[in-house]
C-alpha cells in the first residue's frame, strides 16, 4: 500500500469539517443532535477522520505535538469517557 501525501490529509480535515457543518445545519440544540442518530453518526465518523488525519500529519512532522490534544480529545469522545486536558494551551 502506498503512502498518501500530506496534502491529502489536510484535504481530509477540510472535507470532514464541511461535512460536519452541513450535517448539523438544522440542529438547534444538543437534544436535537443526540436525537438524530444519522447526524450523530456522521459527526462522529468525520471527527474520527479529522483525528486520523491530524495524527498522520503529526507523525510526518507537519504538525507538532501541541495538536496531540485534538487526537486525544477525539479518541476520548469516541470511547465515551470524560475529557480533561492535562494542560492548558
Amino acid at each position: 500500500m502506498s503512502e498518501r501525501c500530506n496534502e491529502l490529509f489536510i484535504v481530509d480535515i477540510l472535507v470532514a469539517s464541511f461535512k460536519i457543518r452541513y450535517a448539523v445545519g438544522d440542529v438547534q440544540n444538543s437534544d436535537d443532535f443526540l436525537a438524530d442518530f444519522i447526524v450523530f453518526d456522521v459527526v462522529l465518523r468525520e471527527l474520527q477522520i479529522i483525528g486520523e488525519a491530524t495524527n498522520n500529519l503529526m507523525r510526518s512532522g507537519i504538525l507538532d505535538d501541541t495538536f496531540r490534544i485534538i487526537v486525544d480529545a477525539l479518541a476520548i469522545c469516541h470511547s465515551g469517557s470524560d475529557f480533561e486536558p492535562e494542560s492548558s494551551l
Side-chain angles (χ1 to χ4, degrees), residues 29-84:
N29 55 49
S30 60
D31 290 334
D32 290 348
F33 175 72
L34 294 173
D36 190 335
F37 68 90
I38 294 173
V39 171
F40 182 85
D41 285 351
V42 167
V43 170
L44 181 61
R45 178 62 187 135
E46 298 307 318
L47 289 174
Q48 289 172 334
I49 290 170
I50 291 170
E52 291 169 9
T54 302
N55 205 21
N56 281 305
L57 291 170
M58 285 189 307
R59 266 193 242 120
S60 68
I62 300 297
L63 297 177
D64 61 29
D65 277 342
T66 58
F67 290 89
R68 170 70 46 206
I69 193 167
I70 294 171
V71 175
D72 292 346
L74 293 174
I76 289 169
C77 289
H78 178 64
S79 71
S81 302
D82 290 332
F83 175 65
E84 294 181 24

Side-chain angles (χ1 to χ4, degrees), residues 11-24 46 50:
V11 170
D12 289 343
I13 293 169
L14 291 172
V15 170
S17 300
F18 287 125
K19 286 182 180 180
I20 290 170
R21 190 168 190 167
Y22 181 81
V24 299
E46 298 307 318
I50 291 170

Side-chain angles (χ1 to χ4, degrees), residues 69 84-89:
I69 193 167
E84 294 181 24
E86 292 179 16
S87 63
S88 175
L89 293 180

